[in-house]
Amino acid sequence: MSFVVTEDTEDGGWTASAALTPDAFANGEGETREAAIEDLKAALVALADVVGIPEQLVVTLEED
């Protein structure tokens, strides 16, 4: 899955966006690039709860 991260040069901060499916998009924002990506990850998880996980998405789980 690809995503876009953009610096908001006018207002400060960063935004991140990605498509979970062709019709379902998620956005994140934060004070830093990393914070925007973490917010995007949370938004994608919440979106997947609503629209489901696409078949083409591969999820890897690591055990501690």
Side-chain angles (χ1 to χ4, degrees):
M1 172 187 308
S2 61
F3 60 94
V4 176
V5 180
T6 307
E7 185 175 13
D8 186 343
T9 56
E10 290 184 20
D11 297 325
W14 292 78
T15 59
S17 60
L20 184 62
T21 70
D23 298 320
F25 298 88
N27 298 296
E29 58 183 26
E31 293 291 321
T32 65
R33 182 180 189 279
E34 293 77 15
I37 293 170
E38 288 302 313
D39 193 44
L40 174 60
K41 288 178 185 179
L44 285 167
V45 168
L47 182 59
D49 285 342
V50 174
V51 301
I53 298 174
E55 289 182 18
Q56 70 272 19
L57 185 63
V58 176
V59 177
T60 302
L61 301 176
E62 295 181 16
E63 293 185 33
D64 290 334

